[in-house]
Amino acid sequence: MKKISFIHTADLHLGLPLQKWLDSAELTLLRKKDYLATFFRILNVVKEKKVPFFFIAGDFLEHGFVQSETVFLVKEELGKLPCNVFIAPGNHDPYRDDSFYCSKWPRNVHIFKGAWENIYFKDYDLTILGKGFTDFLECNSSLPQKPKSSNVILIAHATFLQTKVASKCLYFPLYKEDLLFLKPNYVALGHIHKPSMFKLEDKLKNKIIVCYPGSPEGLCWKELGKRYIVHGVLENGLLTLNNIEIHTRTLEKVSCDISALYSFKDILEVLLKELANFDKESFFEICFLGRRQETLDMFLLKDFLVQNLKHSYPFFKIQDATYPDFDLDFYRKDIGVIGKFINRFDKLLEEKPAEKELIQAALYKGLEALLWNRKN
């Protein structure tokens, strides 16, 4: 019996509109190029590993947005692969009459529709179970026929749930107890963008691996750091999995506490130490925290940082979550609104010490607004 090896990816979202989180058309275009570059990187791994099976578990081509030129390129490149390609459409790319999936695809590419399919490969004694979305929601769970082959791989765009809950799941619920009944060796899922893996075991010690590889390229500021695809090898009932780093560029959030820093150069020095931990070509969201000196002008600081960082770290934006370092003892003596405002927050701090950080942040924001109104 031949050794089974495969590459598993999902959630590429080619064609996804990106304007909501990037600051310019230029960066949006760059990011779109990154996603295509990552797609080609995945294809290169498929070729290098010489796998006979390549699984794409949905949300591959963004329905209604992906351009026909991109679809043509995808078809052309997948058709060149010397392996079987399986696509399980998801909620962002359902198999509908107006879908690109209804057009002609290369012979080595199989696209699952709404009903479960069992596809058998005799040389591997392998059954591949798969289904796809046919609309943007899929609330009902379903099961394929239980296969009789020694090796079983299930591919779907689904929400894996440990128990059958009363509340409705909108994105194809797939339950632990159902998988234990089917006994697949590997469950190749898409939908969850964070890489995650679940190891199931039944009473007979049969092991099932349920895997979300995560999005291979970060799609928003929640999807930070390195991104992966999964390379699997199944031989004599033993499954070995490896995560392969695949991203073109990472998204990173960097926090920098500027409390007790008095000059732009001091802040730059601290920030550079934080940035040194990451690839310079990453997209950065830099967030300044803590109490800033009253004389520190954040607008001038941002301009200073742009001038000093743009050559080494070309892609970043700055968030200001600092608050001014006011002399509270001085302002407590104020006989007007400001003094009463601070005294009220002093009482809140006594009543709710567990919420100290939130209360202090609100105090400084409010005080800043009151003082600005007084000056203007």
Side-chain angles (χ1 to χ4, degrees):
M1 190 188 305
K2 289 185 178 180
K3 177 175 66 176
I4 301 165
S5 61
F6 59 85
I7 294 294
H8 170 204
T9 189
D11 300 288
L12 284 90
H13 287 273
L14 295 180
L16 177 72
L18 302 173
Q19 293 85 349
K20 291 182 180 179
W21 65 277
L22 292 174
D23 298 321
S24 69
E26 182 182 1
L27 291 183
T28 298
L29 178 60
L30 174 64
R31 204 69 186 117
K32 287 183 177 180
K33 290 179 178 179
D34 287 346
Y35 297 144
L36 273 178
T38 298
F39 171 66
F40 279 98
R41 290 162 76 94
I42 295 170
L43 298 183
N44 287 336
V45 173
V46 171
K47 296 171 189 174
E48 289 168 7
K49 297 295 184 182
K50 298 180 180 178
V51 298
F53 302 102
F54 177 31
F55 304 126
I56 304 175
D59 285 3
F60 178 30
L61 302 169
E62 195 74 15
H63 184 92
F65 294 99
V66 65
Q67 296 180 339
S68 56
E69 293 85 352
T70 301
V71 178
F72 177 83
L73 176 65
V74 166
K75 289 181 179 181
E76 186 176 46
E77 295 302 319
L78 290 180
K80 295 176 183 177
L81 294 177
C83 68
N84 299 284
V85 181
F86 292 91
I87 302 173
N91 58 297
H92 279 256
D93 60 345
Y95 194 107
R96 294 164 30 123
D97 291 341
D98 57 349
S99 165
F100 281 111
Y101 291 137
C102 290
S103 58
K104 187 176 180 180
W105 284 72
R107 292 182 64 183
N108 65 316
V109 178
H110 184 88
I111 301 169
F112 292 108
K113 300 178 184 178
W116 281 104
E117 296 180 55
N118 292 35
I119 302 173
Y120 182 66
F121 291 86
K122 184 177 179 180
D123 290 346
Y124 300 91
D125 192 21
L126 168 67
T127 299
I128 294 177
L129 309 173
K131 78 174 297 296
F133 275 60
T134 55
D135 214 332
F136 302 108
L137 299 177
E138 177 68 76
C139 301
N140 298 318
S141 185
S142 63
L143 284 178
Q145 289 184 350
K146 189 174 183 178
K148 296 179 181 179
S149 58
S150 301
N151 304 300
V152 179
I153 293 176
L154 184 150
I155 172 174
H157 195 80
T159 304
F160 173 67
L161 298 170
Q162 297 279 357
T163 58
K164 293 191 175 183
V165 293
S167 59
K168 273 199 170 184
C169 171
L170 300 179
Y171 304 106
F172 187 53
L174 196 57
Y175 299 108
K176 176 181 175 179
E177 65 181 77
D178 292 338
L179 293 177
L180 289 172
F181 168 76
L182 287 171
K183 295 182 174 59
N185 301 83
Y186 183 75
V187 181
L189 297 184
H191 186 56
I192 304 301
H193 290 190
K194 182 180 179 180
S196 52
M197 187 178 296
F198 306 88
K199 298 180 181 180
L200 313 183
E201 187 174 281
D202 65 13
K203 295 178 181 178
L204 299 176
K205 303 299 182 183
N206 292 304
K207 292 180 173 58
I208 301 169
I209 300 297
V210 179
C211 180
Y212 289 100
S215 50
E217 193 74 22
L219 296 164
C220 65
W221 288 106
K222 293 181 180 179
E223 300 177 24
L224 306 178
K226 298 177 180 180
R227 316 301 296 178
Y228 303 92
I229 57 175
V230 174
H231 175 222
V233 176
L234 178 58
E235 188 172 18
N236 297 323
L238 180 64
L239 179 63
T240 304
L241 299 173
N242 290 298
N243 288 330
I244 298 176
E245 194 174 306
I246 203 67
H247 58 266
T248 297
R249 197 187 315 273
T250 63
L251 306 179
E252 308 290 353
K253 285 190 176 184
V254 176
S255 296
C256 184
D257 191 332
I258 64 171
S259 301
L261 297 178
Y262 293 88
S263 71
F264 291 175
K265 287 185 178 180
D266 289 341
I267 293 171
L268 176 62
E269 184 179 347
V270 171
L271 180 56
L272 285 172
K273 288 180 180 178
E274 293 291 335
L275 292 174
N277 297 314
F278 305 100
D279 189 306
K280 292 184 176 181
E281 291 297 314
S282 298
F283 276 86
F284 292 98
E285 183 180 83
I286 299 168
C287 184
F288 288 114
L289 307 170
R291 297 184 184 182
R292 68 175 184 272
Q293 305 305 309
E294 281 193 75
T295 56
L296 189 66
D297 189 316
M298 292 302 291
F299 292 102
L300 291 178
L301 172 61
K302 289 180 181 180
D303 183 66
F304 173 81
L305 292 175
V306 168
Q307 299 306 316
N308 285 274
L309 289 176
K310 63 182 180 181
H311 298 298
S312 299
Y313 298 92
F315 311 115
F316 68 89
K317 64 177 183 178
I318 295 174
Q319 301 285 346
D320 178 17
T322 63
Y323 48 94
D325 192 12
F326 295 122
D327 184 347
L328 292 182
D329 287 337
F330 173 79
Y331 289 113
R332 278 191 184 93
K333 299 173 183 176
D334 186 278
I335 59 173
V337 173
I338 290 175
K340 293 178 180 178
F341 179 79
I342 295 174
N343 288 327
R344 174 61 184 139
F345 273 86
D346 286 342
K347 290 178 181 178
L348 276 175
L349 284 169
E350 290 177 7
E351 295 167 2
K352 301 179 180 180
E355 300 178 23
K356 180 179 178 180
E357 290 187 10
L358 180 63
I359 294 171
Q360 284 186 332
L363 165 63
Y364 277 87
K365 285 289 184 183
L367 185 55
E368 188 174 22
L370 288 171
L371 290 172
W372 186 89
N373 286 332
R374 175 178 285 184
K375 292 175 182 178
N376 293 278

